[in-house]
Amino acid sequence: MASNPHPAPASPGLRMAIDFGPLIVFFGVNFLVGGAQISRVLAATAAFMVATAVAMAVSRWKTGHISAMLWMSGVLVLVFGSLTIYFHNETFIKIKPTLIYLMFASVLVFGLVTGRPLLQSVLETAYPGLSAKGWRQLTINWAVFFVVQAILNEAVWRNSSWDFWVAYKLWGVIPMTLIFAVANMPMLMRHGLQTEGDPVADVPIPPEG
C-alpha cells in the first residue's frame, strides 16, 4: 500500500480508530463467537492481530508514518498473538499489555535519565509551544500512568475470568486513558502549550496495549 505523499494530519476520529479500533474488534469477536472459551480466545486473538495490522497500514496511508508506540504495540501483538494461537494458551495475550506498558514506561524513563526528550521528539507537533519543563512533567506523568496500567493489568488477569479481563480492556482501560490524557491539558497550558480550536480533540493518546 503506497503512503499518501502529502498526508493530512489525522483527525481525532481517525486517531481513535487507529489507536482503539483493534481492541474494539477484539471485544466484538470475543462477544459474537460462540462455543468453548478457547475458541473465543483464538478467534478474538486472530482478529486482534489482523485489526492491528490494518490499523498500522491505515496510519501509514493516512498520516504518512507509523508511530514508534504503534510499532512496538503491533510487534508484540503479532508475537504474543501467535504464541496464544500456537499453544492454545490465553496467558500470552493477557501478559502482552503488561509488557507493552512497561516498555513504554522504560523508554520514557530512559529519556529522562539520559536527558533525551524522547516524548518530545515523537509528539512535538502535537504540543506546539510546550516548554522544556512541560515536556519533562508530561513524560513523568505518562511513565507513571504506564506503570500503574501494567500493575492493574496483572491484577485483573490473574484474579478474574477471561470475559471480565476482555471487558476491563474495553470499558476500563480506554476510559482511563482518555481521562488521563485530557487531565494533563491544564498543566500543559500552564507550560506554554498553544492550541487551536478544541484542545481536547487534539490530545494525542497512545495505542491501547
Side-chain angles (χ1 to χ4, degrees), residues 2 6 13 15-16 27 29 36-37 51-52 60 63 82 95 97 99-100 127 148 150 166-167 171 186 189:
H6 301 290
R15 290 206 316 266
M16 288 283 290
F27 179 86
V29 172
Q37 176 175 302
T52 299
R60 175 65 178 171
T63 71
S82 298
I95 65 173
L99 297 180
I100 289 178
Y127 291 120
V148 170
V166 173
W171 304 114
M189 298 182 75

Side-chain angles (χ1 to χ4, degrees), residues 17-188:
I18 291 172
D19 294 336
F20 295 124
L23 179 62
I24 294 173
V25 170
F26 180 68
F27 179 86
V29 172
N30 180 73
F31 179 77
L32 293 173
V33 172
Q37 176 175 302
I38 190 60
S39 298
R40 291 186 288 117
V41 170
L42 299 180
T45 299
F48 191 32
M49 294 166 67
V50 172
T52 299
V54 170
M56 295 173 73
V58 169
S59 178
R60 175 65 178 171
W61 175 37
K62 290 294 188 179
T63 71
H65 76 287
I66 300 172
S67 70
M69 286 187 170
L70 185 54
W71 267 117
M72 291 169 63
S73 178
V75 169
L76 287 181
V77 167
L78 176 61
V79 171
F80 283 85
S82 298
L83 291 172
T84 297
I85 293 172
Y86 182 80
F87 288 105
H88 283 50
N89 188 333
E90 66 195 59
T91 301
F92 292 106
I93 202 68
K94 286 180 174 180
I95 65 173
K96 183 253 325 160
T98 301
L99 297 180
I100 289 178
Y101 292 134
L102 292 179
M103 287 176 65
F104 287 169
S106 298
V107 169
L108 295 181
V109 171
F110 175 79
L112 287 174
V113 172
T114 60
R116 300 176 184 178
L118 300 178
L119 191 64
Q120 182 176 358
S121 66
V122 174
L123 298 178
E124 187 165 18
T125 58
Y127 291 120
L130 188 61
S131 68
K133 185 176 181 181
W135 280 112
R136 178 176 177 79
Q137 187 60 56
L138 182 64
T139 299
I140 293 172
N141 290 355
W142 275 110
V144 171
F145 178 80
F146 288 138
V147 170
V148 170
Q149 287 300 317
I151 294 171
L152 288 176
N153 184 68
E154 285 296 296
V156 172
W157 84 257
R158 292 178 184 276
N159 296 282
S160 64
S161 67
W162 164 260
D163 287 327
F164 184 91
W165 178 78
V166 173
Y168 162 75
K169 296 288 291 176
L170 183 65
W171 304 114
V173 175
I174 290 181
M176 282 190 286
T177 303
L178 294 174
I179 291 170
F180 181 80
V182 173
N184 278 284
M185 288 305 295
M187 179 276 293
L188 296 173

